[in-house]
Amino acid sequence: MCYTAEAYEADTATIRQIDTDIIALDEKIMQAERRSYHTFFDVHVVQAGDGSYLLIEEGDYGELPLHLIDDIVYTATGKMGDEY
């Protein structure tokens, strides 16, 4: 198989393209996991209407409304125990 210069450049550009949505989601997941070590409640990553991601801790809002539950993409379980 022989590449032309244009085909090679197009292929390498596709390979090097970084999906910023995946990076943003990974960052929020890491934040949720770090936060989960300091709380009794679950920490949720919720996708907002504009495609961004938000952290919501159940302890902050009580029972979550259905429109937020439908948009949860990741949940980190609260890891703080009250037994010492």
Coordinates of all heavy atoms in Angstrom, one line a residue:
M1 N 0.8 -1.2 0.0 CA 0.0 0.0 0.0 C 0.9 1.2 0.0 O 1.8 1.3 0.8 CB -0.9 0.0 1.2 CG -1.8 1.2 1.4 SD -2.9 0.9 2.8 CE -4.1 2.0 2.3
C2 N 0.6 2.2 -0.8 CA 1.4 3.4 -1.0 C 0.5 4.6 -0.6 O -0.6 4.8 -1.1 CB 1.9 3.5 -2.4 SG 2.9 4.9 -2.7
Y3 N 1.0 5.4 0.3 CA 0.4 6.6 0.7 C 0.8 7.8 -0.2 O 2.0 7.9 -0.5 CB 0.7 7.0 2.1 CG -0.2 6.3 3.1 CD1 0.3 5.5 4.1 CD2 -1.6 6.5 3.1 CE1 -0.5 5.0 5.1 CE2 -2.4 6.0 4.1 CZ -1.9 5.2 5.1 OH -2.7 4.6 6.0
T4 N -0.1 8.7 -0.5 CA 0.3 10.0 -1.0 C 0.5 10.9 0.1 O 0.0 10.6 1.3 CB -0.8 10.5 -2.0 OG1 -2.0 10.7 -1.2 CG2 -1.1 9.6 -3.1
A5 N 1.1 12.0 -0.1 CA 1.4 12.9 1.0 C 0.1 13.4 1.6 O 0.0 13.6 2.9 CB 2.2 14.1 0.5
E6 N -0.9 13.7 0.8 CA -2.2 14.2 1.3 C -2.9 13.2 2.2 O -3.5 13.5 3.2 CB -3.1 14.7 0.2 CG -2.6 15.9 -0.6 CD -1.6 15.5 -1.7 OE1 -1.5 14.3 -2.1 OE2 -0.8 16.4 -2.1
A7 N -2.9 11.9 1.7 CA -3.6 10.9 2.4 C -2.9 10.6 3.8 O -3.6 10.4 4.8 CB -3.6 9.6 1.6
Y8 N -1.6 10.6 3.8 CA -0.8 10.4 5.0 C -1.1 11.6 6.0 O -1.4 11.3 7.2 CB 0.7 10.4 4.7 CG 1.5 10.2 6.0 CD1 1.6 8.9 6.6 CD2 2.2 11.3 6.5 CE1 2.3 8.8 7.7 CE2 2.9 11.1 7.7 CZ 3.0 9.9 8.3 OH 3.7 9.7 9.4
E9 N -1.1 12.8 5.6 CA -1.4 13.9 6.5 C -2.9 13.8 7.0 O -3.1 14.2 8.2 CB -1.2 15.2 5.7 CG 0.2 15.5 5.5 CD 0.4 16.8 4.6 OE1 -0.6 17.5 4.4 OE2 1.6 17.0 4.2
A10 N -3.8 13.4 6.2 CA -5.2 13.3 6.6 C -5.3 12.2 7.7 O -6.0 12.4 8.7 CB -6.1 13.0 5.5
D11 N -4.6 11.1 7.5 CA -4.7 10.0 8.5 C -4.0 10.4 9.8 O -4.6 10.1 10.8 CB -4.0 8.8 7.9 CG -4.8 8.1 6.8 OD1 -6.0 8.4 6.7 OD2 -4.3 7.2 6.1
T12 N -2.9 11.0 9.7 CA -2.2 11.4 11.0 C -3.0 12.5 11.7 O -3.0 12.5 12.9 CB -0.8 11.9 10.7 OG1 -0.8 12.9 9.8 CG2 0.1 10.7 10.3
A13 N -3.7 13.4 11.0 CA -4.5 14.4 11.6 C -5.7 13.8 12.4 O -6.0 14.2 13.5 CB -5.0 15.4 10.6
T14 N -6.2 12.8 11.8 CA -7.4 12.0 12.4 C -6.9 11.3 13.7 O -7.5 11.3 14.7 CB -8.0 11.0 11.4 OG1 -8.4 11.7 10.3 CG2 -9.1 10.3 12.1
I15 N -5.7 10.7 13.6 CA -5.2 10.0 14.7 C -4.9 10.9 15.9 O -5.1 10.6 17.0 CB -3.9 9.1 14.3 CG1 -4.4 8.0 13.4 CG2 -3.2 8.6 15.5 CD1 -3.2 7.3 12.7
R16 N -4.3 12.1 15.6 CA -3.9 13.0 16.6 C -5.0 13.9 17.2 O -4.8 14.6 18.1 CB -2.8 13.9 16.0 CG -1.5 13.2 15.7 CD -0.5 14.1 15.2 NE 0.7 13.4 14.9 CZ 1.7 13.8 14.2 NH1 1.7 15.1 13.7 NH2 2.8 13.1 14.0
Q17 N -6.2 13.8 16.6 CA -7.3 14.6 17.0 C -7.7 14.2 18.4 O -7.9 13.0 18.7 CB -8.5 14.5 16.1 CG -9.6 15.4 16.5 CD -10.8 15.2 15.5 OE1 -10.7 14.4 14.6 NE2 -11.7 16.1 15.6
I18 N -7.8 15.1 19.3 CA -8.2 14.8 20.7 C -9.6 15.2 20.9 O -10.0 16.3 20.6 CB -7.2 15.5 21.7 CG1 -5.8 15.1 21.5 CG2 -7.7 15.3 23.1 CD1 -4.8 15.9 22.3
D19 N -10.4 14.3 21.5 CA -11.8 14.6 21.8 C -11.9 15.3 23.1 O -11.7 14.7 24.2 CB -12.6 13.3 21.7 CG -14.1 13.6 21.8 OD1 -14.5 14.8 22.0 OD2 -14.8 12.6 21.7
T20 N -12.2 16.6 23.1 CA -12.2 17.4 24.3 C -13.3 17.0 25.3 O -13.2 17.1 26.5 CB -12.3 18.9 24.0 OG1 -13.4 19.1 23.3 CG2 -11.0 19.4 23.3
D21 N -14.4 16.4 24.7 CA -15.5 15.9 25.6 C -15.0 14.8 26.5 O -15.4 14.7 27.6 CB -16.7 15.5 24.8 CG -17.4 16.7 24.1 OD1 -17.2 17.8 24.6 OD2 -18.1 16.5 23.1
I22 N -14.2 13.9 25.9 CA -13.7 12.7 26.7 C -12.8 13.2 27.8 O -12.8 12.7 28.9 CB -13.1 11.7 25.8 CG1 -14.1 11.1 24.9 CG2 -12.3 10.6 26.6 CD1 -13.6 10.1 23.8
I23 N -12.0 14.2 27.5 CA -11.0 14.7 28.5 C -11.8 15.4 29.6 O -11.5 15.2 30.8 CB -10.0 15.7 27.8 CG1 -9.1 14.9 26.9 CG2 -9.2 16.4 28.9 CD1 -8.2 15.7 26.1
A24 N -12.8 16.2 29.2 CA -13.6 16.9 30.3 C -14.3 15.9 31.2 O -14.4 16.0 32.4 CB -14.6 17.8 29.6
L25 N -14.9 14.8 30.6 CA -15.5 13.8 31.3 C -14.5 13.1 32.3 O -14.8 12.8 33.5 CB -16.2 12.7 30.4 CG -16.9 11.6 31.1 CD1 -18.0 12.1 32.1 CD2 -17.5 10.6 30.1
D26 N -13.4 12.7 31.8 CA -12.4 12.1 32.6 C -12.0 13.0 33.8 O -11.8 12.5 34.9 CB -11.1 11.7 31.8 CG -11.3 10.6 30.9 OD1 -12.3 9.8 31.1 OD2 -10.5 10.4 30.0
E27 N -11.8 14.3 33.6 CA -11.5 15.2 34.7 C -12.6 15.2 35.7 O -12.3 15.2 36.9 CB -11.2 16.6 34.1 CG -9.9 16.7 33.3 CD -9.7 18.0 32.7 OE1 -10.6 18.9 32.8 OE2 -8.7 18.2 32.1
K28 N -13.8 15.2 35.3 CA -14.9 15.3 36.3 C -15.0 14.0 37.0 O -15.3 13.9 38.2 CB -16.2 15.6 35.6 CG -16.4 17.0 35.2 CD -16.3 17.9 36.4 CE -16.5 19.4 36.0 NZ -16.3 20.3 37.1
I29 N -14.8 12.8 36.4 CA -14.8 11.5 37.0 C -13.7 11.5 38.1 O -13.9 11.0 39.2 CB -14.6 10.4 36.0 CG1 -15.9 10.2 35.2 CG2 -14.2 9.1 36.7 CD1 -15.8 9.3 34.1
M30 N -12.5 12.0 37.8 CA -11.4 12.1 38.8 C -11.8 13.0 39.9 O -11.5 12.6 41.1 CB -10.1 12.5 38.1 CG -9.6 11.6 37.1 SD -9.2 9.9 37.8 CE -7.8 10.4 38.8
Q31 N -12.4 14.1 39.7 CA -12.9 15.0 40.8 C -13.9 14.3 41.6 O -13.9 14.4 42.9 CB -13.4 16.3 40.2 CG -12.4 17.2 39.6 CD -13.1 18.4 39.0 OE1 -14.3 18.6 39.1 NE2 -12.3 19.3 38.4
A32 N -14.8 13.6 41.0 CA -15.8 12.9 41.8 C -15.2 11.8 42.7 O -15.6 11.6 43.8 CB -16.9 12.2 40.8
E33 N -14.2 11.1 42.1 CA -13.6 10.0 42.9 C -12.8 10.6 44.1 O -12.8 10.1 45.2 CB -12.6 9.2 42.0 CG -13.4 8.2 41.2 CD -14.1 7.2 41.9 OE1 -13.7 6.8 43.0 OE2 -15.1 6.7 41.4
R34 N -12.1 11.8 43.9 CA -11.4 12.4 45.0 C -12.3 12.9 46.0 O -12.1 12.8 47.2 CB -10.5 13.6 44.4 CG -9.3 13.1 43.7 CD -8.3 14.2 43.5 NE -8.9 15.3 42.6 CZ -8.8 15.3 41.3 NH1 -8.0 14.4 40.7 NH2 -9.3 16.3 40.6
R35 N -13.5 13.5 45.6 CA -14.5 14.0 46.5 C -15.1 12.9 47.3 O -15.5 13.1 48.5 CB -15.5 14.8 45.8 CG -16.6 15.4 46.6 CD -16.2 16.5 47.5 NE -17.2 16.9 48.4 CZ -17.1 17.0 49.7 NH1 -16.0 16.7 50.3 NH2 -18.1 17.3 50.4
S36 N -15.3 11.7 46.7 CA -16.0 10.6 47.4 C -15.3 10.1 48.6 O -15.9 9.5 49.5 CB -16.2 9.5 46.4 OG -15.0 8.8 46.1
Y37 N -14.0 10.4 48.8 CA -13.2 10.0 50.0 C -13.5 10.8 51.2 O -13.2 10.5 52.3 CB -11.7 10.0 49.7 CG -11.3 8.8 48.8 CD1 -11.1 8.9 47.5 CD2 -11.1 7.5 49.4 CE1 -10.7 7.8 46.7 CE2 -10.7 6.4 48.7 CZ -10.5 6.6 47.3 OH -10.1 5.5 46.5
H38 N -14.2 12.0 50.9 CA -14.4 12.9 52.0 C -15.9 13.2 52.3 O -16.3 14.2 52.8 CB -13.7 14.3 51.7 CG -12.3 14.1 51.4 ND1 -11.4 13.9 52.4 CD2 -11.6 14.1 50.2 CE1 -10.2 13.8 51.9 NE2 -10.3 13.9 50.6
T39 N -16.8 12.2 51.9 CA -18.2 12.4 52.0 C -18.9 11.1 52.3 O -18.4 10.0 51.9 CB -18.8 13.1 50.8 OG1 -20.2 13.3 51.1 CG2 -18.7 12.2 49.6
F40 N -20.0 11.1 52.9 CA -20.8 10.0 53.2 C -21.8 9.7 52.0 O -22.3 8.6 51.9 CB -21.7 10.2 54.4 CG -20.9 10.3 55.7 CD1 -20.8 11.6 56.3 CD2 -20.3 9.2 56.3 CE1 -20.1 11.7 57.4 CE2 -19.6 9.4 57.5 CZ -19.5 10.6 58.0
F41 N -22.0 10.7 51.1 CA -23.0 10.7 50.1 C -22.3 10.3 48.7 O -21.1 10.5 48.5 CB -23.7 12.0 50.0 CG -24.3 12.4 51.2 CD1 -23.7 13.4 52.1 CD2 -25.5 11.9 51.7 CE1 -24.3 13.8 53.2 CE2 -26.1 12.2 52.9 CZ -25.5 13.2 53.6
D42 N -23.2 9.9 47.8 CA -22.7 9.6 46.4 C -22.4 10.9 45.7 O -23.1 11.9 45.9 CB -23.7 8.8 45.7 CG -23.9 7.4 46.2 OD1 -23.0 6.9 46.9 OD2 -24.9 6.8 45.8
V43 N -21.4 10.9 44.9 CA -21.1 12.1 44.1 C -21.3 11.7 42.6 O -20.8 10.7 42.1 CB -19.6 12.5 44.3 CG1 -19.3 13.7 43.4 CG2 -19.3 12.8 45.7
H44 N -22.2 12.5 42.0 CA -22.6 12.2 40.6 C -22.0 13.2 39.6 O -21.9 14.3 39.9 CB -24.1 12.3 40.4 CG -24.9 11.4 41.4 ND1 -24.9 10.1 41.3 CD2 -25.6 11.7 42.5 CE1 -25.7 9.6 42.3 NE2 -26.1 10.6 43.0
V45 N -21.6 12.6 38.4 CA -21.2 13.5 37.3 C -22.4 13.5 36.4 O -22.9 12.5 35.9 CB -20.0 12.9 36.6 CG1 -19.6 13.7 35.4 CG2 -18.8 12.7 37.5
V46 N -22.9 14.7 36.2 CA -24.1 15.0 35.4 C -23.8 15.7 34.1 O -23.0 16.7 34.2 CB -25.2 15.8 36.2 CG1 -26.4 16.1 35.4 CG2 -25.5 15.0 37.5
Q47 N -24.3 15.3 33.0 CA -24.1 16.0 31.8 C -25.1 17.1 31.6 O -26.3 16.9 31.6 CB -24.1 15.1 30.5 CG -23.7 15.8 29.3 CD -23.6 14.8 28.1 OE1 -24.1 13.7 28.2 NE2 -22.9 15.3 27.1
A48 N -24.6 18.4 31.5 CA -25.5 19.5 31.4 C -26.0 19.6 29.9 O -25.5 18.9 29.0 CB -24.8 20.8 31.7
G49 N -27.0 20.5 29.7 CA -27.6 20.6 28.4 C -26.7 21.1 27.3 O -26.8 20.7 26.1
D50 N -25.6 21.8 27.7 CA -24.7 22.3 26.7 C -23.5 21.4 26.5 O -22.6 21.7 25.8 CB -24.2 23.7 27.2 CG -23.4 23.7 28.5 OD1 -23.4 22.6 29.1 OD2 -22.8 24.7 28.9
G51 N -23.6 20.2 27.1 CA -22.5 19.2 26.9 C -21.4 19.2 27.9 O -20.6 18.4 27.9
S52 N -21.4 20.2 28.8 CA -20.4 20.2 29.9 C -20.9 19.3 31.0 O -22.0 18.7 31.0 CB -20.3 21.7 30.4 OG -21.5 22.1 31.0
Y53 N -20.0 19.1 31.9 CA -20.3 18.1 33.0 C -20.2 18.9 34.4 O -19.4 19.7 34.6 CB -19.2 17.0 33.0 CG -19.3 16.2 31.7 CD1 -18.4 16.4 30.7 CD2 -20.3 15.2 31.6 CE1 -18.5 15.7 29.5 CE2 -20.4 14.5 30.4 CZ -19.5 14.7 29.4 OH -19.6 14.0 28.2
L54 N -21.1 18.4 35.3 CA -21.2 19.0 36.6 C -21.1 17.9 37.7 O -21.4 16.8 37.4 CB -22.6 19.7 36.8 CG -23.0 20.7 35.7 CD1 -24.5 21.0 35.9 CD2 -22.2 21.9 35.8
L55 N -20.5 18.3 38.8 CA -20.5 17.4 40.0 C -21.7 17.8 40.9 O -21.9 18.9 41.2 CB -19.2 17.6 40.8 CG -18.0 16.9 40.2 CD1 -16.8 17.2 41.2 CD2 -18.2 15.5 39.9
I56 N -22.4 16.8 41.3 CA -23.5 17.0 42.3 C -23.4 15.9 43.3 O -23.3 14.7 43.1 CB -24.9 16.9 41.6 CG1 -25.0 18.0 40.6 CG2 -26.0 16.9 42.6 CD1 -26.3 18.0 39.8
E57 N -23.4 16.4 44.6 CA -23.3 15.5 45.7 C -24.7 15.3 46.3 O -25.4 16.3 46.5 CB -22.4 16.0 46.8 CG -22.1 15.1 47.9 CD -21.1 15.6 48.9 OE1 -20.2 16.4 48.5 OE2 -21.2 15.3 50.1
E58 N -25.1 14.1 46.5 CA -26.5 13.9 47.0 C -26.8 14.6 48.3 O -27.9 15.1 48.5 CB -26.8 12.4 47.2 CG -27.2 11.7 45.9 CD -27.6 10.3 46.1 OE1 -28.1 10.0 47.2 OE2 -27.5 9.5 45.1
G59 N -25.8 14.7 49.2 CA -26.0 15.4 50.4 C -26.4 16.9 50.3 O -27.0 17.5 51.2
D60 N -25.9 17.5 49.2 CA -26.2 18.9 49.0 C -27.7 19.2 48.6 O -28.2 20.2 48.9 CB -25.3 19.5 47.8 CG -23.9 19.5 48.2 OD1 -23.6 19.5 49.5 OD2 -23.0 19.5 47.3
Y61 N -28.3 18.2 47.9 CA -29.6 18.4 47.3 C -30.7 17.5 47.8 O -31.8 17.6 47.4 CB -29.5 18.3 45.8 CG -28.6 19.3 45.2 CD1 -27.3 19.0 44.8 CD2 -29.0 20.6 44.9 CE1 -26.4 19.9 44.3 CE2 -28.2 21.5 44.4 CZ -26.9 21.2 44.1 OH -26.0 22.1 43.5
G62 N -30.4 16.6 48.7 CA -31.4 15.6 49.1 C -31.7 14.7 48.0 O -30.8 14.2 47.3
E63 N -32.9 14.4 47.8 CA -33.3 13.5 46.7 C -33.2 14.2 45.4 O -33.7 15.4 45.2 CB -34.8 13.0 46.9 CG -35.2 12.0 46.0 CD -36.6 11.4 46.3 OE1 -37.0 11.5 47.4 OE2 -37.2 11.0 45.3
L64 N -32.6 13.6 44.4 CA -32.3 14.3 43.1 C -33.6 14.3 42.3 O -34.3 13.2 42.3 CB -31.2 13.6 42.4 CG -29.8 13.7 43.0 CD1 -28.8 12.9 42.2 CD2 -29.4 15.1 43.1
P65 N -33.9 15.3 41.6 CA -35.1 15.3 40.7 C -34.8 14.4 39.5 O -33.7 14.2 39.1 CB -35.2 16.8 40.2 CG -33.9 17.5 40.6 CD -33.3 16.6 41.7
L66 N -35.9 14.0 38.8 CA -35.7 13.0 37.7 C -34.9 13.5 36.6 O -34.2 12.8 35.9 CB -37.1 12.6 37.3 CG -37.9 11.6 38.2 CD1 -39.2 11.3 37.6 CD2 -37.1 10.4 38.4
H67 N -35.0 14.8 36.3 CA -34.3 15.4 35.1 C -32.8 15.3 35.4 O -32.0 15.2 34.4 CB -34.7 16.8 34.7 CG -34.3 17.8 35.7 ND1 -35.0 18.1 36.9 CD2 -33.3 18.7 35.7 CE1 -34.4 19.1 37.5 NE2 -33.3 19.4 36.8
L68 N -32.3 15.4 36.6 CA -30.9 15.2 36.9 C -30.5 13.7 36.9 O -29.5 13.4 36.4 CB -30.6 15.8 38.2 CG -30.5 17.3 38.3 CD1 -30.2 17.8 39.7 CD2 -29.5 17.8 37.3
I69 N -31.4 12.9 37.4 CA -31.1 11.4 37.4 C -30.9 10.9 36.0 O -30.0 10.1 35.7 CB -32.2 10.7 38.2 CG1 -32.2 11.0 39.6 CG2 -32.1 9.2 38.0 CD1 -33.3 10.5 40.4
D70 N -31.7 11.4 35.1 CA -31.6 10.9 33.7 C -30.3 11.3 33.0 O -29.9 10.7 32.1 CB -32.8 11.5 32.9 CG -34.1 10.8 33.3 OD1 -34.1 9.8 33.9 OD2 -35.2 11.5 33.0
D71 N -29.7 12.4 33.5 CA -28.4 12.9 32.9 C -27.2 12.5 33.6 O -26.1 12.9 33.3 CB -28.5 14.4 32.9 CG -29.6 14.9 31.9 OD1 -29.9 14.2 31.0 OD2 -30.0 16.1 32.1
I72 N -27.3 11.6 34.6 CA -26.1 11.1 35.3 C -25.3 10.2 34.4 O -25.9 9.2 33.8 CB -26.5 10.3 36.6 CG1 -27.1 11.3 37.7 CG2 -25.3 9.6 37.2 CD1 -27.6 10.6 38.9
V73 N -24.0 10.4 34.3 CA -23.2 9.6 33.5 C -22.2 8.8 34.3 O -21.6 7.8 33.8 CB -22.4 10.4 32.4 CG1 -23.4 11.0 31.4 CG2 -21.6 11.5 33.0
Y74 N -22.0 9.2 35.6 CA -21.1 8.4 36.4 C -21.4 8.7 37.9 O -21.8 9.8 38.2 CB -19.6 8.8 36.2 CG -18.6 8.1 37.0 CD1 -18.2 6.8 36.6 CD2 -18.1 8.6 38.2 CE1 -17.3 6.1 37.4 CE2 -17.1 7.9 38.9 CZ -16.8 6.7 38.5 OH -15.9 6.0 39.2
T75 N -21.3 7.7 38.8 CA -21.5 7.9 40.2 C -20.3 7.3 41.0 O -20.0 6.2 40.8 CB -22.8 7.2 40.6 OG1 -23.9 7.8 39.9 CG2 -23.0 7.3 42.1
A76 N -19.8 8.1 41.8 CA -18.7 7.7 42.8 C -19.4 7.5 44.1 O -20.0 8.5 44.7 CB -17.6 8.7 42.8
T77 N -19.3 6.3 44.7 CA -19.9 6.1 46.0 C -19.1 6.7 47.1 O -17.9 6.7 47.1 CB -20.0 4.6 46.2 OG1 -20.7 3.9 45.1 CG2 -20.7 4.2 47.5
G78 N -19.8 7.4 48.0 CA -19.2 8.0 49.2 C -18.4 7.0 50.0 O -19.0 5.9 50.4
K79 N -17.2 7.2 50.3 CA -16.3 6.2 50.9 C -16.0 6.6 52.4 O -15.3 5.8 53.0 CB -15.0 6.1 50.1 CG -15.3 5.5 48.7 CD -14.0 5.6 47.9 CE -14.2 5.1 46.5 NZ -15.0 6.0 45.7
M80 N -16.5 7.6 52.9 CA -16.2 8.0 54.2 C -17.1 7.2 55.2 O -18.3 7.2 55.0 CB -16.5 9.5 54.4 CG -16.0 10.0 55.7 SD -16.1 11.8 55.7 CE -15.7 12.2 57.3
G81 N -16.5 6.5 56.1 CA -17.3 5.7 57.0 C -17.4 6.4 58.4 O -16.5 7.1 58.8
D82 N -18.5 6.1 59.1 CA -18.6 6.7 60.4 C -18.3 5.8 61.5 O -18.6 6.0 62.7 CB -20.0 7.3 60.5 CG -21.1 6.3 60.4 OD1 -20.8 5.1 60.0 OD2 -22.3 6.6 60.6
E83 N -17.7 4.7 61.2 CA -17.3 3.7 62.2 C -15.8 3.8 62.5 O -15.0 3.5 61.6 CB -17.6 2.3 61.8 CG -19.1 2.1 61.7 CD -19.4 0.6 61.2 OE1 -18.5 -0.2 61.3 OE2 -20.6 0.4 60.9
Y84 N -15.4 4.3 63.6 CA -14.0 4.4 64.0 C -13.6 3.6 65.2 O -14.3 3.5 66.1 CB -13.6 5.9 64.2 CG -13.6 6.7 62.9 CD1 -14.7 7.5 62.6 CD2 -12.5 6.6 62.1 CE1 -14.7 8.2 61.4 CE2 -12.5 7.4 60.9 CZ -13.6 8.2 60.6 OH -13.6 8.9 59.4

